[in-house]
PDB file of all heavy atoms in Angstrom:
ATOM      1  N   PHE A   1      -1.703   1.437  10.703  1.00  0.00           N
ATOM      2  CA  PHE A   1      -2.844   1.120   9.969  1.00  0.00           C
ATOM      3  C   PHE A   1      -4.108   1.183  10.819  1.00  0.00           C
ATOM      4  O   PHE A   1      -5.187   1.662  10.376  1.00  0.00           O
ATOM      5  CB  PHE A   1      -2.751  -0.289   9.272  1.00  0.00           C
ATOM      6  CG  PHE A   1      -1.588  -0.395   8.454  1.00  0.00           C
ATOM      7  CD1 PHE A   1      -0.377  -0.910   8.901  1.00  0.00           C
ATOM      8  CD2 PHE A   1      -1.637   0.063   7.154  1.00  0.00           C
ATOM      9  CE1 PHE A   1       0.778  -0.889   8.029  1.00  0.00           C
ATOM     10  CE2 PHE A   1      -0.528   0.008   6.375  1.00  0.00           C
ATOM     11  CZ  PHE A   1       0.758  -0.564   6.782  1.00  0.00           C
ATOM     12  N   ASP A   2      -4.003   0.836  12.120  1.00  0.00           N
ATOM     13  CA  ASP A   2      -5.123   1.098  13.025  1.00  0.00           C
ATOM     14  C   ASP A   2      -5.487   2.643  13.134  1.00  0.00           C
ATOM     15  O   ASP A   2      -6.719   3.007  13.184  1.00  0.00           O
ATOM     16  CB  ASP A   2      -4.808   0.500  14.312  1.00  0.00           C
ATOM     17  CG  ASP A   2      -4.715  -0.999  14.417  1.00  0.00           C
ATOM     18  OD1 ASP A   2      -5.279  -1.605  13.496  1.00  0.00           O
ATOM     19  OD2 ASP A   2      -4.002  -1.460  15.353  1.00  0.00           O
ATOM     20  N   MET A   3      -4.421   3.340  13.196  1.00  0.00           N
ATOM     21  CA  MET A   3      -4.680   4.900  13.299  1.00  0.00           C
ATOM     22  C   MET A   3      -5.305   5.392  11.993  1.00  0.00           C
ATOM     23  O   MET A   3      -6.144   6.260  11.998  1.00  0.00           O
ATOM     24  CB  MET A   3      -3.457   5.575  13.664  1.00  0.00           C
ATOM     25  CG  MET A   3      -2.936   5.479  15.050  1.00  0.00           C
ATOM     26  SD  MET A   3      -1.625   6.545  15.565  1.00  0.00           S
ATOM     27  CE  MET A   3      -0.214   5.885  14.781  1.00  0.00           C
ATOM     28  N   LEU A   4      -4.868   4.897  10.888  1.00  0.00           N
ATOM     29  CA  LEU A   4      -5.528   5.357   9.523  1.00  0.00           C
ATOM     30  C   LEU A   4      -7.042   5.009   9.506  1.00  0.00           C
ATOM     31  O   LEU A   4      -7.786   5.812   9.152  1.00  0.00           O
ATOM     32  CB  LEU A   4      -4.764   4.776   8.317  1.00  0.00           C
ATOM     33  CG  LEU A   4      -3.296   5.309   8.088  1.00  0.00           C
ATOM     34  CD1 LEU A   4      -2.525   4.427   7.132  1.00  0.00           C
ATOM     35  CD2 LEU A   4      -3.526   6.813   7.463  1.00  0.00           C
ATOM     36  N   ARG A   5      -7.234   3.768  10.032  1.00  0.00           N
ATOM     37  CA  ARG A   5      -8.704   3.437  10.112  1.00  0.00           C
ATOM     38  C   ARG A   5      -9.391   4.230  11.108  1.00  0.00           C
ATOM     39  O   ARG A   5     -10.610   4.686  10.875  1.00  0.00           O
ATOM     40  CB  ARG A   5      -8.759   1.939  10.397  1.00  0.00           C
ATOM     41  CG  ARG A   5      -8.172   1.071   9.287  1.00  0.00           C
ATOM     42  CD  ARG A   5      -8.405  -0.459   9.547  1.00  0.00           C
ATOM     43  NE  ARG A   5      -7.666  -1.308   8.625  1.00  0.00           N
ATOM     44  CZ  ARG A   5      -6.481  -1.914   8.889  1.00  0.00           C
ATOM     45  NH1 ARG A   5      -5.843  -1.615   9.970  1.00  0.00           N
ATOM     46  NH2 ARG A   5      -5.992  -2.599   7.854  1.00  0.00           N
ATOM     47  N   ALA A   6      -8.853   4.561  12.225  1.00  0.00           N
ATOM     48  CA  ALA A   6      -9.397   5.397  13.178  1.00  0.00           C
ATOM     49  C   ALA A   6      -9.654   6.824  12.685  1.00  0.00           C
ATOM     50  O   ALA A   6     -10.680   7.501  13.035  1.00  0.00           O
ATOM     51  CB  ALA A   6      -8.597   5.454  14.375  1.00  0.00           C
ATOM     52  N   LEU A   7      -8.969   7.310  11.648  1.00  0.00           N
ATOM     53  CA  LEU A   7      -9.051   8.467  11.005  1.00  0.00           C
ATOM     54  C   LEU A   7     -10.263   8.443  10.067  1.00  0.00           C
ATOM     55  O   LEU A   7     -10.898   9.535   9.657  1.00  0.00           O
ATOM     56  CB  LEU A   7      -7.863   8.941  10.288  1.00  0.00           C
ATOM     57  CG  LEU A   7      -7.769  10.364   9.691  1.00  0.00           C
ATOM     58  CD1 LEU A   7      -7.929  11.476  10.806  1.00  0.00           C
ATOM     59  CD2 LEU A   7      -6.456  10.510   8.979  1.00  0.00           C
ATOM     60  N   GLY A   8     -10.795   7.293   9.784  1.00  0.00           N
ATOM     61  CA  GLY A   8     -11.971   7.093   8.949  1.00  0.00           C
ATOM     62  C   GLY A   8     -11.683   6.495   7.608  1.00  0.00           C
ATOM     63  O   GLY A   8     -12.684   6.267   6.865  1.00  0.00           O
ATOM     64  N   PHE A   9     -10.508   6.178   7.242  1.00  0.00           N
ATOM     65  CA  PHE A   9     -10.287   5.618   5.973  1.00  0.00           C
ATOM     66  C   PHE A   9     -10.684   4.065   5.925  1.00  0.00           C
ATOM     67  O   PHE A   9     -10.319   3.336   6.841  1.00  0.00           O
ATOM     68  CB  PHE A   9      -8.821   5.713   5.543  1.00  0.00           C
ATOM     69  CG  PHE A   9      -8.444   7.134   5.180  1.00  0.00           C
ATOM     70  CD1 PHE A   9      -7.920   7.986   6.094  1.00  0.00           C
ATOM     71  CD2 PHE A   9      -8.750   7.592   3.905  1.00  0.00           C
ATOM     72  CE1 PHE A   9      -7.521   9.389   5.731  1.00  0.00           C
ATOM     73  CE2 PHE A   9      -8.415   8.898   3.528  1.00  0.00           C
ATOM     74  CZ  PHE A   9      -7.842   9.805   4.481  1.00  0.00           C
ATOM     75  N   THR A  10     -11.425   3.742   4.828  1.00  0.00           N
ATOM     76  CA  THR A  10     -12.117   2.467   4.777  1.00  0.00           C
ATOM     77  C   THR A  10     -11.272   1.442   3.990  1.00  0.00           C
ATOM     78  O   THR A  10     -11.573   0.162   4.061  1.00  0.00           O
ATOM     79  CB  THR A  10     -13.451   2.613   4.279  1.00  0.00           C
ATOM     80  OG1 THR A  10     -13.449   3.184   3.004  1.00  0.00           O
ATOM     81  CG2 THR A  10     -14.369   3.390   5.125  1.00  0.00           C
ATOM     82  N   HIS A  11     -10.348   1.870   3.178  1.00  0.00           N
ATOM     83  CA  HIS A  11      -9.504   0.943   2.338  1.00  0.00           C
ATOM     84  C   HIS A  11      -8.063   1.231   2.707  1.00  0.00           C
ATOM     85  O   HIS A  11      -7.483   2.136   2.034  1.00  0.00           O
ATOM     86  CB  HIS A  11      -9.832   1.154   0.902  1.00  0.00           C
ATOM     87  CG  HIS A  11     -11.238   0.957   0.528  1.00  0.00           C
ATOM     88  ND1 HIS A  11     -11.944  -0.264   0.482  1.00  0.00           N
ATOM     89  CD2 HIS A  11     -12.224   1.926   0.257  1.00  0.00           C
ATOM     90  CE1 HIS A  11     -13.216  -0.099   0.173  1.00  0.00           C
ATOM     91  NE2 HIS A  11     -13.395   1.184   0.009  1.00  0.00           N
ATOM     92  N   VAL A  12      -7.546   0.498   3.658  1.00  0.00           N
ATOM     93  CA  VAL A  12      -6.222   0.724   4.045  1.00  0.00           C
ATOM     94  C   VAL A  12      -5.403  -0.604   3.872  1.00  0.00           C
ATOM     95  O   VAL A  12      -5.837  -1.557   4.415  1.00  0.00           O
ATOM     96  CB  VAL A  12      -6.123   1.181   5.607  1.00  0.00           C
ATOM     97  CG1 VAL A  12      -4.669   1.354   6.021  1.00  0.00           C
ATOM     98  CG2 VAL A  12      -6.951   2.391   5.717  1.00  0.00           C
ATOM     99  N   GLN A  13      -4.221  -0.523   3.130  1.00  0.00           N
ATOM    100  CA  GLN A  13      -3.563  -1.795   2.851  1.00  0.00           C
ATOM    101  C   GLN A  13      -2.054  -1.592   3.101  1.00  0.00           C
ATOM    102  O   GLN A  13      -1.519  -0.571   2.746  1.00  0.00           O
ATOM    103  CB  GLN A  13      -3.788  -2.130   1.475  1.00  0.00           C
ATOM    104  CG  GLN A  13      -5.294  -2.499   1.021  1.00  0.00           C
ATOM    105  CD  GLN A  13      -5.380  -3.168  -0.250  1.00  0.00           C
ATOM    106  OE1 GLN A  13      -4.630  -4.014  -0.606  1.00  0.00           O
ATOM    107  NE2 GLN A  13      -6.469  -2.797  -1.070  1.00  0.00           N
ATOM    108  N   GLN A  14      -1.468  -2.548   3.593  1.00  0.00           N
ATOM    109  CA  GLN A  14      -0.008  -2.547   3.906  1.00  0.00           C
ATOM    110  C   GLN A  14       0.720  -3.086   2.622  1.00  0.00           C
ATOM    111  O   GLN A  14       0.433  -4.091   1.981  1.00  0.00           O
ATOM    112  CB  GLN A  14       0.259  -3.527   5.018  1.00  0.00           C
ATOM    113  CG  GLN A  14       1.726  -3.576   5.489  1.00  0.00           C
ATOM    114  CD  GLN A  14       2.005  -4.459   6.674  1.00  0.00           C
ATOM    115  OE1 GLN A  14       1.159  -5.472   6.810  1.00  0.00           O
ATOM    116  NE2 GLN A  14       3.038  -4.100   7.450  1.00  0.00           N
ATOM    117  N   LEU A  15       1.721  -2.255   2.225  1.00  0.00           N
ATOM    118  CA  LEU A  15       2.536  -2.544   1.061  1.00  0.00           C
ATOM    119  C   LEU A  15       3.603  -3.590   1.412  1.00  0.00           C
ATOM    120  O   LEU A  15       4.176  -3.534   2.478  1.00  0.00           O
ATOM    121  CB  LEU A  15       3.104  -1.381   0.469  1.00  0.00           C
ATOM    122  CG  LEU A  15       2.233  -0.336  -0.233  1.00  0.00           C
ATOM    123  CD1 LEU A  15       2.952   0.956  -0.517  1.00  0.00           C
ATOM    124  CD2 LEU A  15       1.481  -0.883  -1.442  1.00  0.00           C
ATOM    125  N   ARG A  16       3.952  -4.394   0.456  1.00  0.00           N
ATOM    126  CA  ARG A  16       5.087  -5.348   0.554  1.00  0.00           C
ATOM    127  C   ARG A  16       6.074  -5.019  -0.543  1.00  0.00           C
ATOM    128  O   ARG A  16       5.616  -4.827  -1.734  1.00  0.00           O
ATOM    129  CB  ARG A  16       4.552  -6.823   0.487  1.00  0.00           C
ATOM    130  CG  ARG A  16       3.531  -7.198   1.510  1.00  0.00           C
ATOM    131  CD  ARG A  16       4.105  -7.249   2.861  1.00  0.00           C
ATOM    132  NE  ARG A  16       2.956  -7.768   3.869  1.00  0.00           N
ATOM    133  CZ  ARG A  16       3.149  -7.789   5.127  1.00  0.00           C
ATOM    134  NH1 ARG A  16       4.308  -7.433   5.748  1.00  0.00           N
ATOM    135  NH2 ARG A  16       2.179  -8.272   6.030  1.00  0.00           N
ATOM    136  N   THR A  17       7.287  -5.077  -0.184  1.00  0.00           N
ATOM    137  CA  THR A  17       8.285  -4.813  -1.322  1.00  0.00           C
ATOM    138  C   THR A  17       8.189  -5.876  -2.419  1.00  0.00           C
ATOM    139  O   THR A  17       8.022  -7.008  -2.141  1.00  0.00           O
ATOM    140  CB  THR A  17       9.739  -4.787  -0.710  1.00  0.00           C
ATOM    141  OG1 THR A  17      10.010  -6.010  -0.111  1.00  0.00           O
ATOM    142  CG2 THR A  17       9.982  -3.547   0.168  1.00  0.00           C
ATOM    143  N   ASN A  18       8.382  -5.466  -3.627  1.00  0.00           N
ATOM    144  CA  ASN A  18       8.334  -6.329  -4.854  1.00  0.00           C
ATOM    145  C   ASN A  18       6.965  -6.909  -5.136  1.00  0.00           C
ATOM    146  O   ASN A  18       6.852  -7.804  -5.945  1.00  0.00           O
ATOM    147  CB  ASN A  18       9.381  -7.329  -4.792  1.00  0.00           C
ATOM    148  CG  ASN A  18      10.774  -6.785  -4.596  1.00  0.00           C
ATOM    149  OD1 ASN A  18      11.112  -5.796  -5.190  1.00  0.00           O
ATOM    150  ND2 ASN A  18      11.420  -7.404  -3.650  1.00  0.00           N
ATOM    151  N   VAL A  19       5.804  -6.453  -4.406  1.00  0.00           N
ATOM    152  CA  VAL A  19       4.538  -6.883  -4.785  1.00  0.00           C
ATOM    153  C   VAL A  19       3.811  -5.696  -5.430  1.00  0.00           C
ATOM    154  O   VAL A  19       3.592  -4.721  -4.734  1.00  0.00           O
ATOM    155  CB  VAL A  19       3.772  -7.381  -3.490  1.00  0.00           C
ATOM    156  CG1 VAL A  19       2.366  -7.647  -3.826  1.00  0.00           C
ATOM    157  CG2 VAL A  19       4.588  -8.491  -2.864  1.00  0.00           C
ATOM    158  N   THR A  20       3.416  -5.935  -6.626  1.00  0.00           N
ATOM    159  CA  THR A  20       2.909  -4.834  -7.495  1.00  0.00           C
ATOM    160  C   THR A  20       1.390  -4.588  -7.205  1.00  0.00           C
ATOM    161  O   THR A  20       0.602  -5.465  -7.027  1.00  0.00           O
ATOM    162  CB  THR A  20       3.070  -5.141  -8.940  1.00  0.00           C
ATOM    163  OG1 THR A  20       4.540  -5.272  -9.196  1.00  0.00           O
ATOM    164  CG2 THR A  20       2.491  -4.039  -9.847  1.00  0.00           C
ATOM    165  N   VAL A  21       1.061  -3.274  -7.101  1.00  0.00           N
ATOM    166  CA  VAL A  21      -0.363  -2.911  -6.956  1.00  0.00           C
ATOM    167  C   VAL A  21      -0.795  -2.344  -8.360  1.00  0.00           C
ATOM    168  O   VAL A  21      -0.182  -1.408  -8.847  1.00  0.00           O
ATOM    169  CB  VAL A  21      -0.560  -1.781  -5.970  1.00  0.00           C
ATOM    170  CG1 VAL A  21      -1.989  -1.295  -5.950  1.00  0.00           C
ATOM    171  CG2 VAL A  21      -0.109  -2.257  -4.622  1.00  0.00           C
ATOM    172  N   GLN A  22      -1.851  -2.920  -8.947  1.00  0.00           N
ATOM    173  CA  GLN A  22      -2.331  -2.523 -10.272  1.00  0.00           C
ATOM    174  C   GLN A  22      -3.635  -1.632 -10.075  1.00  0.00           C
ATOM    175  O   GLN A  22      -4.503  -2.081  -9.408  1.00  0.00           O
ATOM    176  CB  GLN A  22      -2.652  -3.759 -11.118  1.00  0.00           C
ATOM    177  CG  GLN A  22      -2.907  -3.417 -12.492  1.00  0.00           C
ATOM    178  CD  GLN A  22      -1.661  -3.090 -13.395  1.00  0.00           C
ATOM    179  OE1 GLN A  22      -0.600  -3.753 -13.273  1.00  0.00           O
ATOM    180  NE2 GLN A  22      -1.711  -2.074 -14.126  1.00  0.00           N
ATOM    181  N   LEU A  23      -3.510  -0.466 -10.651  1.00  0.00           N
ATOM    182  CA  LEU A  23      -4.636   0.500 -10.519  1.00  0.00           C
ATOM    183  C   LEU A  23      -4.858   1.103 -11.907  1.00  0.00           C
ATOM    184  O   LEU A  23      -4.160   1.930 -12.333  1.00  0.00           O
ATOM    185  CB  LEU A  23      -4.358   1.660  -9.545  1.00  0.00           C
ATOM    186  CG  LEU A  23      -4.559   1.208  -8.013  1.00  0.00           C
ATOM    187  CD1 LEU A  23      -3.910   2.356  -7.149  1.00  0.00           C
ATOM    188  CD2 LEU A  23      -5.939   1.071  -7.727  1.00  0.00           C
ATOM    189  N   GLY A  24      -5.797   0.548 -12.659  1.00  0.00           N
ATOM    190  CA  GLY A  24      -5.967   1.044 -14.025  1.00  0.00           C
ATOM    191  C   GLY A  24      -4.782   0.994 -14.801  1.00  0.00           C
ATOM    192  O   GLY A  24      -4.143  -0.121 -14.967  1.00  0.00           O
ATOM    193  N   PRO A  25      -4.278   2.158 -15.344  1.00  0.00           N
ATOM    194  CA  PRO A  25      -3.089   2.076 -16.232  1.00  0.00           C
ATOM    195  C   PRO A  25      -1.764   1.947 -15.367  1.00  0.00           C
ATOM    196  O   PRO A  25      -0.649   1.940 -15.873  1.00  0.00           O
ATOM    197  CB  PRO A  25      -3.143   3.463 -16.985  1.00  0.00           C
ATOM    198  CG  PRO A  25      -3.874   4.380 -16.073  1.00  0.00           C
ATOM    199  CD  PRO A  25      -4.869   3.504 -15.263  1.00  0.00           C
ATOM    200  N   PHE A  26      -1.857   2.115 -13.991  1.00  0.00           N
ATOM    201  CA  PHE A  26      -0.716   2.105 -13.235  1.00  0.00           C
ATOM    202  C   PHE A  26      -0.364   0.716 -12.623  1.00  0.00           C
ATOM    203  O   PHE A  26      -1.207   0.056 -12.153  1.00  0.00           O
ATOM    204  CB  PHE A  26      -1.023   3.174 -11.998  1.00  0.00           C
ATOM    205  CG  PHE A  26      -0.881   4.552 -12.285  1.00  0.00           C
ATOM    206  CD1 PHE A  26      -2.143   5.240 -12.570  1.00  0.00           C
ATOM    207  CD2 PHE A  26       0.199   5.253 -12.525  1.00  0.00           C
ATOM    208  CE1 PHE A  26      -2.157   6.526 -12.936  1.00  0.00           C
ATOM    209  CE2 PHE A  26       0.262   6.597 -12.858  1.00  0.00           C
ATOM    210  CZ  PHE A  26      -1.002   7.247 -13.010  1.00  0.00           C
ATOM    211  N   ALA A  27       0.920   0.508 -12.632  1.00  0.00           N
ATOM    212  CA  ALA A  27       1.562  -0.610 -11.826  1.00  0.00           C
ATOM    213  C   ALA A  27       2.597  -0.049 -10.947  1.00  0.00           C
ATOM    214  O   ALA A  27       3.633   0.473 -11.345  1.00  0.00           O
ATOM    215  CB  ALA A  27       2.273  -1.596 -12.869  1.00  0.00           C
ATOM    216  N   VAL A  28       2.311  -0.001  -9.721  1.00  0.00           N
ATOM    217  CA  VAL A  28       3.136   0.567  -8.656  1.00  0.00           C
ATOM    218  C   VAL A  28       3.734  -0.575  -7.807  1.00  0.00           C
ATOM    219  O   VAL A  28       3.009  -1.374  -7.189  1.00  0.00           O
ATOM    220  CB  VAL A  28       2.369   1.513  -7.733  1.00  0.00           C
ATOM    221  CG1 VAL A  28       3.298   2.124  -6.610  1.00  0.00           C
ATOM    222  CG2 VAL A  28       1.668   2.579  -8.536  1.00  0.00           C
ATOM    223  N   THR A  29       5.044  -0.583  -7.780  1.00  0.00           N
ATOM    224  CA  THR A  29       5.814  -1.723  -7.122  1.00  0.00           C
ATOM    225  C   THR A  29       6.686  -1.010  -6.051  1.00  0.00           C
ATOM    226  O   THR A  29       7.672  -0.426  -6.363  1.00  0.00           O
ATOM    227  CB  THR A  29       6.680  -2.544  -8.063  1.00  0.00           C
ATOM    228  OG1 THR A  29       5.881  -2.961  -9.157  1.00  0.00           O
ATOM    229  CG2 THR A  29       7.171  -3.720  -7.366  1.00  0.00           C
ATOM    230  N   PRO A  30       6.376  -1.237  -4.757  1.00  0.00           N
ATOM    231  CA  PRO A  30       7.356  -0.847  -3.728  1.00  0.00           C
ATOM    232  C   PRO A  30       8.698  -1.586  -3.860  1.00  0.00           C
ATOM    233  O   PRO A  30       8.758  -2.846  -4.031  1.00  0.00           O
ATOM    234  CB  PRO A  30       6.701  -1.190  -2.387  1.00  0.00           C
ATOM    235  CG  PRO A  30       5.243  -1.474  -2.806  1.00  0.00           C
ATOM    236  CD  PRO A  30       5.272  -1.920  -4.169  1.00  0.00           C
ATOM    237  N   ARG A  31       9.743  -0.915  -3.732  1.00  0.00           N
ATOM    238  CA  ARG A  31      11.103  -1.410  -3.816  1.00  0.00           C
ATOM    239  C   ARG A  31      11.848  -1.225  -2.479  1.00  0.00           C
ATOM    240  O   ARG A  31      11.581  -0.316  -1.719  1.00  0.00           O
ATOM    241  CB  ARG A  31      11.978  -0.896  -4.958  1.00  0.00           C
ATOM    242  CG  ARG A  31      11.385  -1.145  -6.299  1.00  0.00           C
ATOM    243  CD  ARG A  31      11.193  -2.625  -6.612  1.00  0.00           C
ATOM    244  NE  ARG A  31      10.859  -2.871  -7.999  1.00  0.00           N
ATOM    245  CZ  ARG A  31      10.492  -4.061  -8.515  1.00  0.00           C
ATOM    246  NH1 ARG A  31      10.635  -5.128  -7.701  1.00  0.00           N
ATOM    247  NH2 ARG A  31      10.107  -4.185  -9.754  1.00  0.00           N
ATOM    248  N   GLU A  32      12.788  -2.093  -2.182  1.00  0.00           N
ATOM    249  CA  GLU A  32      13.308  -2.135  -0.863  1.00  0.00           C
ATOM    250  C   GLU A  32      14.377  -1.025  -0.691  1.00  0.00           C
ATOM    251  O   GLU A  32      15.270  -0.909  -1.561  1.00  0.00           O
ATOM    252  CB  GLU A  32      14.066  -3.550  -0.602  1.00  0.00           C
ATOM    253  CG  GLU A  32      14.725  -3.645   0.757  1.00  0.00           C
ATOM    254  CD  GLU A  32      15.356  -5.065   0.971  1.00  0.00           C
ATOM    255  OE1 GLU A  32      15.031  -5.865   0.178  1.00  0.00           O
ATOM    256  OE2 GLU A  32      16.140  -5.199   1.951  1.00  0.00           O
ATOM    257  N   ALA A  33      14.293  -0.230   0.299  1.00  0.00           N
ATOM    258  CA  ALA A  33      15.256   0.753   0.645  1.00  0.00           C
ATOM    259  C   ALA A  33      16.308   0.138   1.490  1.00  0.00           C
ATOM    260  O   ALA A  33      16.186  -0.891   2.062  1.00  0.00           O
ATOM    261  CB  ALA A  33      14.555   1.992   1.234  1.00  0.00           C
ATOM    262  N   LEU A  34      17.424   0.975   1.811  1.00  0.00           N
ATOM    263  CA  LEU A  34      18.483   0.523   2.545  1.00  0.00           C
ATOM    264  C   LEU A  34      18.042   0.247   4.017  1.00  0.00           C
ATOM    265  O   LEU A  34      18.432  -0.835   4.555  1.00  0.00           O
ATOM    266  CB  LEU A  34      19.703   1.554   2.492  1.00  0.00           C
ATOM    267  CG  LEU A  34      20.884   1.162   3.371  1.00  0.00           C
ATOM    268  CD1 LEU A  34      21.584  -0.047   2.738  1.00  0.00           C
ATOM    269  CD2 LEU A  34      21.925   2.326   3.309  1.00  0.00           C
TER     270      LEU A  34
END
């Protein structure tokens, strides 16, 4: 995330499994991989 910010991105967020991100009509939920 430090490198992404160093690349210049101003809105960088770490995802957590089973915590939904709501963006307009989208609900995106990371799920746990093996």
Side-chain angles (χ1 to χ4, degrees):
F1 301 97
D2 291 340
M3 285 193 285
L4 285 166
R5 295 183 185 100
L7 188 58
F9 287 96
T10 56
H11 303 285
V12 178
Q13 297 192 43
Q14 184 178 27
L15 292 170
R16 306 289 185 185
T17 54
N18 304 318
V19 178
T20 300
V21 176
Q22 190 75 46
L23 285 166
F26 287 98
V28 180
T29 308
R31 297 299 184 185
E32 183 179 347
L34 184 62

